[in-house]
Amino acid sequence: MNQRWTPDRYARTADYLFPASQAAVADVGLRRGEVLLDSATGTGNAAAVALDRGARVIGVDSSPEQIDGARERLPDAEFIVADAEDLPVPTASVDAAVSVFGIIFAHNPTRALAELVRCVRAGGSVAFTTLSADGWPNRARTILAAELGAPAPTFPTLWSAPDAAERAAVEAGLEAVEVRSHELRLPLDSGRGFAAQVTERLGALAALRTQLEARGSWVRASARLDEYLTASASSESGTPVLVDPYLVVSGRKS
């Protein structure tokens, strides 16, 4: 994988992303007692959802720190330190597999997806989530990077468009592929700067903020980011909310 997270930086990000794990696990239709593989599990969001459904879980992540956190959180699951592009799981040995904003960060996402599918038995289900290039987090990263004098960050997925995501799933060996649009929602406190709040919640933005603060550039950068976020937020019952679209791609192994 090409991105590593420290547990303290990832914790709030994982909370924000949790609904996507619920959506992905729902799409594979787990039955009690079946085995789910969760590739790039992080601290085990999808694993936690699967365990609640009575499944058995194997979680894999390249970060030993994340795996330590997942083991502490979910002692009834099996967690392994390994790369998503080379899963230490026998071929056709699990009933279903998911990766929630995980394999899209691999050095070779296509290979990571092929590995995910390889591990699933014939007729088993696979689901993965992918980010939208139009989401506010991507634009926020671009704004902060510009304040550092750095190029816009490379968008971490080849499959932000539904047709590209569907094509990738089919080429990986899935049939009956469905691509569903979902949204992550981040409520904000109208009494505080939005830039401060989003950099507290998303680890990638927190890392950029740390660099800007070290250079004495955070005040100016946060003003630019606040302007963008204020224009982007919708209002729900008087509460400002940032809406981040994403896709859940699911199919059955042929």
Side-chain angles (χ1 to χ4, degrees), residues 105-122:
F105 289 100
H107 289 290
N108 185 337
T110 301
R111 177 179 173 84
L113 177 56
E115 272 290 274
L116 193 69
V117 175
R118 175 187 65 79
C119 298
V120 178
R121 61 170 172 79

Side-chain angles (χ1 to χ4, degrees), residues 26-110:
D27 273 11
V28 297
L30 277 177
R31 298 177 181 175
R32 182 171 294 275
E34 289 188 326
V35 179
L36 176 81
L37 169 63
D38 181 14
S39 180
T41 185
T43 52
N45 270 355
V49 177
L51 286 173
D52 283 345
R53 288 173 172 254
R56 292 181 290 151
V57 177
I58 302 169
V60 179
D61 200 280
S62 61
S63 167
E65 296 83 6
Q66 296 288 65
I67 288 294
D68 285 345
R71 286 170 176 158
E72 181 177 356
R73 176 186 181 188
L74 302 168
D76 292 333
E78 177 185 356
F79 291 103
I80 304 167
V81 177
D83 195 276
E85 296 178 36
D86 188 18
L87 295 171
V89 178
T91 298
S93 63
V94 302
D95 299 294
V98 299
S99 185
V100 180
F101 305 123
I103 59 173
I104 62 172
F105 289 100
H107 289 290
N108 185 337
T110 301

Side-chain angles (χ1 to χ4, degrees), residues 31 53 72 109 123 133 143 148 224 227 241:
R31 298 177 181 175
R53 288 173 172 254
E72 181 177 356
I143 290 170
L148 285 168
R224 281 196 61 199
E227 182 179 4
V241 176

Side-chain angles (χ1 to χ4, degrees), residues 204-215:
L205 299 182
L208 290 168
R209 175 177 176 173
T210 297
Q211 295 177 61
L212 287 161
E213 288 175 332
R215 294 189 182 188

